[in-house]
Amino acid sequence: MSDKATLEINGKKYEFPIVTGSENEVAIDIKNLRGDTGGVITIDPGYKNTGSCESAITFLDGEKGILRYRGYSIEELAEKADFLEVAYLLIFGELPTQDELNKFHSDIKKHAVVDDDVKKILDAFPKSAHPMGVLASLTSALTAFNPSSVNVDSEEEMYNAIVRILGKFPILVAWTMRKKHGMPLDYGSSSLGYVENILQMMFKRPDEDYTQNKILVNALDKLLILHADHEQNCSTSTVRITGSSHAGLFVSLSAGISALWGPLHGGANQAVLEMLEAIKEDGGDTKKYMAKAKDKDDPFRLMGFGHRVYKNFDPRAKIIKKAADEVLGDLGVEDPILDIAKGLEKEALEDSYFVDRKLYPNVDFYSGIIYRAMGIPTEMFTVMFALGRLPGWISQWREMRMRKEPIGRPRQLYTGETQRPFKEISKR
Ligand code: ACO
């Protein structure tokens, strides 16, 4: 392949370098386009064809259904690693040795406490507040109690900011749920594993010891690993672009949480369950909802189907579908919602509308079903996604800052009014 791409505008030719990634993906480097051409830009709403950065963290091939973190396949990581190992791998680039992992966990535990004044902020929210709004606010509020900016040239400062947020974030997650249920806030126990402690912080009743259920621990561990990173999606790009102004880590993460909240992104897992509930309430007629999803005059979409990059299948969905069957089987859960989900899945996979558009179930079609079986309320599903995505956001933010990337500032094609004289209010 040629190492240059040629662009012709008004009879004049411009050459741009072609760059290739380590998996032979090809990109045209247009950094000099505007300068060379005297103002021409590219336009690509939704960034379907635009690479915003070079990254060495996550590789995915949507056509082949491949997802790898730092070169390791998601299938192997989900089977053989735990969430904390995967977090370390994403952030620092290599799987940790046992000693490195022990130190990492022990450093995280040292920071697994939040300033008691954070409780006052949490108290000020009404119980009806959506947990994602509360989580975004509390994550941002942490800045008030911690150093706001990190010297990216200091490895120690970077490391401390990372273990600090990995320690504090699960507490905020658990507290948003306990607040909703009027449960006293709990700090869990430093003797537990990272994921066990999350479950204890979320579910421990004040009057009882909490007994860990291995099936739930494994299921949550797997779910968190599957959600841990997904290269330049909406929330991750938000974290990178917010951090590119040198805003601190915590506020950049808070921006990512807000971006994740939307139903077309992380909010889909909540939307899936709400959709399944609505179908059940409406008599369980999946065919009716399939017809609505295909009707161009109806805004209804089959939530949990389709993906911007996976146009074959979502490899995470395959793993999670198996985990969902195991968890529900082991817990002995019989749920009519699950039958509706299976019915919709079967119909969609055989329907030419979905087949032709390559719309397959995505990870969020199944994750909500597992969360529900675990006793996690629907409104908390996207919060659980944020918990899983935290190491991905951190690693992407760290990469962006360490590479000293410039501030993110896209261009636009202006389509508004040209210059016109001001009209006095009496003449409008
Ligand atoms: N139900 C019905 N039709 C759909 C669906 C769906 N879930 N998804 C896409 N389509 C149709 C569109 O109407 C469009 O049809 P057309 O070509 O006849 O106009 C075609 O498929 C392509 O859809 P786009 O919206 O252009 O695809 P895009 O890549 O922009 O969107 C998205 C991907 C947002 C995920 C979309 O499939 C969707 O809305 N899915 C439901 C929400 C969801 O599950 N989101 C979770 C994503 S995974 C995650 O964030 C972890």
Side-chain angles (χ1 to χ4, degrees):
M1 183 189 290
S2 151
D3 60 356
K4 287 205 168 48
T6 309
L7 179 69
E8 190 173 326
I9 305 171
N10 290 336
K12 198 162 173 213
K13 287 190 174 158
Y14 304 90
E15 284 195 331
F16 299 97
I18 289 183
V19 283
T20 39
S22 45
E23 293 282 351
N24 296 322
E25 328 91 279
V26 177
I28 305 168
D29 176 351
I30 57 153
K31 277 200 278 298
N32 295 329
L33 172 69
R34 199 170 164 273
D36 289 359
T37 57
V40 175
I41 60 162
T42 54
I43 188 144
D44 184 21
Y47 311 120
K48 290 193 179 190
N49 308 282
T50 299
S52 59
C53 61
E54 290 183 7
S55 178
I57 301 171
T58 290
F59 172 71
L60 71 85
D61 183 327
E63 309 302 326
K64 296 192 185 128
I66 294 173
L67 173 61
R68 293 186 204 127
Y69 300 158
R70 302 281 190 185
Y72 295 101
S73 79
I74 191 66
E75 289 81 6
E76 250 197 310
L77 289 171
E79 195 193 323
K80 298 179 183 160
D82 70 24
F83 178 58
L84 215 52
E85 276 178 283
V86 170
Y88 188 100
L89 169 71
L90 282 167
I91 298 168
F92 302 111
E94 294 296 338
L95 283 167
T97 61
Q98 190 62 57
D99 284 350
E100 283 167 339
L101 187 62
N102 293 347
K103 179 176 183 317
F104 189 47
H105 193 193
S106 136
D107 291 336
I108 289 169
K109 285 196 276 196
K110 277 185 214 143
H111 292 284
V113 58
V114 293
D115 192 294
D116 222 41
D117 280 346
V118 172
K119 288 181 182 164
K120 292 186 193 151
I121 303 174
L122 182 64
D123 260 353
F125 280 98
K127 269 209 188 103
S128 58
H130 193 286
M132 280 299 274
V134 178
L135 185 68
S137 306
L138 293 185
T139 306
S140 182
L142 282 183
T143 313
F145 306 98
N146 292 277
S148 60
S149 64
V150 181
N151 175 5
V152 295
D153 296 320
S154 156
E155 231 172 85
E156 195 191 342
E157 271 195 43
M158 277 294 234
Y159 181 79
N160 286 340
I162 290 165
V163 288
R164 197 174 279 135
I165 192 66
L166 283 166
K168 298 178 194 312
F169 198 73
I171 298 169
L172 302 185
V173 164
W175 284 7
T176 55
M177 180 166 127
R178 296 183 79 87
K179 157 89 186 177
K180 192 118 195 115
H181 293 239
M183 296 264 275
L185 305 184
D186 194 278
Y187 262 118
S189 162
S190 63
S191 64
L192 293 170
Y194 193 74
V195 172
E196 276 101 332
N197 197 35
I198 291 169
L199 284 168
Q200 168 148 329
M201 283 194 290
M202 288 174 77
F203 291 112
K204 187 181 176 309
R205 289 175 50 91
D207 53 343
E208 280 175 10
D209 286 339
Y210 180 76
T211 314
Q212 296 285 341
N213 177 334
K214 255 197 144 28
I215 299 164
L216 297 192
V217 176
N218 286 337
L220 183 56
D221 211 64
K222 211 166 264 185
L223 276 165
L224 297 177
I225 291 173
L226 294 181
H227 284 92
D229 196 47
H230 213 232
E231 54 119 296
Q232 307 314 313
N233 54 80
C234 178
S235 57
T236 301
S237 302
T238 303
V239 170
R240 280 185 92 122
I241 207 164
T242 307
S244 77
S245 74
H246 297 192
L249 173 60
F250 299 168
V251 285
S252 302
L253 295 171
S254 170
I257 295 167
S258 299
L260 186 72
W261 191 356
L264 297 190
H265 190 13
N269 54 14
Q270 174 176 341
V272 169
L273 247 285
E274 284 168 354
M275 174 189 78
L276 295 173
E277 290 277 10
I279 298 175
K280 187 182 122 199
E281 291 304 307
D282 196 21
D285 183 357
T286 48
K287 294 211 163 50
K288 175 175 165 190
Y289 284 84
M290 286 289 289
K292 272 165 78 63
K294 294 191 280 182
D295 180 356
K296 287 289 151 210
D297 296 324
D298 189 326
F300 176 78
R301 278 190 168 195
L302 211 52
M303 298 314 287
F305 275 77
H307 197 277
R308 171 55 67 80
V309 287
Y310 291 123
K311 301 299 179 192
N312 183 338
F313 63 89
D314 181 340
R316 303 166 302 172
K318 269 196 169 175
I319 301 169
I320 210 64
K321 180 175 161 40
K322 195 165 160 262
D325 287 341
E326 281 165 12
V327 170
L328 297 170
D330 286 342
L331 295 178
V333 172
E334 280 185 25
D335 191 342
I337 288 287
L338 190 67
D339 297 332
I340 293 174
K342 283 186 172 158
L344 275 181
E345 183 194 5
K346 186 170 179 295
E347 282 166 40
L349 292 177
E350 288 166 359
D351 190 297
S352 61
Y353 173 95
F354 287 88
V355 174
D356 293 351
R357 288 172 180 75
K358 301 186 170 154
L359 300 169
Y360 295 92
N362 58 50
V363 66
D364 286 323
F365 188 68
Y366 304 105
S367 63
I369 292 168
I370 303 187
Y371 286 139
R372 180 180 157 98
M374 292 171 87
I376 296 175
T378 313
E379 275 199 334
M380 279 293 293
F381 290 0
T382 316
V383 167
M384 301 311 289
F385 188 158
L387 183 64
R389 186 53 56 86
L390 182 67
W393 286 334
I394 295 172
S395 57
Q396 300 272 351
W397 171 86
R398 179 175 177 270
E399 180 180 73
M400 179 273 305
R401 290 302 313 271
M402 289 183 75
R403 289 186 175 187
K404 306 230 177 329
E405 284 179 13
I407 185 166
R409 203 304 188 184
R411 291 272 169 181
Q412 64 163 19
L413 192 67
Y414 176 69
T415 58
E417 299 286 347
T418 52
Q419 190 176 13
R420 48 185 176 162
F422 183 77
K423 213 184 235 178
E424 293 302 331
I425 197 160
S426 57
K427 294 189 181 133
R428 283 174 219 165

